[in-house]
């Protein structure tokens, strides 16, 4: 187990990270981010997740313009 200098990390994830160029969700990237965050949590790091991409990613799933 790695000993990190920080106990709490803020991670901001925007629309361009969560979506593909056609506006649909990038499920592969999201899965990778979840795995990375889970690994940090298991190592005792608190993660504060900030997402400005929630609306854009949800819009593609709801098929809204």
């Amino acid at each position: 187990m790695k000993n990190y200098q920080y106990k709490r990390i803020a991670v901001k994830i925007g629309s361009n990270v969560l979506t593909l160029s056609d506006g649909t969700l990038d499920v592969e990237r999201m899965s990778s981010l979840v795995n990375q965050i889970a690994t940090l949590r298991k190592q005792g790091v608190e993660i504060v997740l900030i997402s400005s991409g929630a609306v854009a990613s949800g819009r593609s799933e709801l098929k809204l313009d």
Side-chain angles (χ1 to χ4, degrees), residues 42-53:
K42 288 177 186 172
Q43 295 175 353
V45 179
E46 181 182 351
I47 305 298
V48 177
L49 184 60
I50 305 157
S51 175
S52 64

Side-chain angles (χ1 to χ4, degrees), residues 1-37:
M1 185 157 124
K2 186 167 171 123
N3 186 14
Y4 290 97
Q5 177 182 357
Y6 302 102
K7 297 295 179 193
R8 181 179 300 137
I9 299 173
V11 178
K12 191 262 187 186
I13 302 173
S15 300
N16 62 329
V17 173
L18 295 178
T19 57
L20 297 168
S21 59
D22 65 1
T24 60
L25 286 178
D26 187 339
V27 177
E28 195 171 314
R29 180 170 286 165
M30 290 177 72
S31 178
S32 176
L33 289 166
V34 168
N35 289 335
Q36 292 175 57
I37 290 169

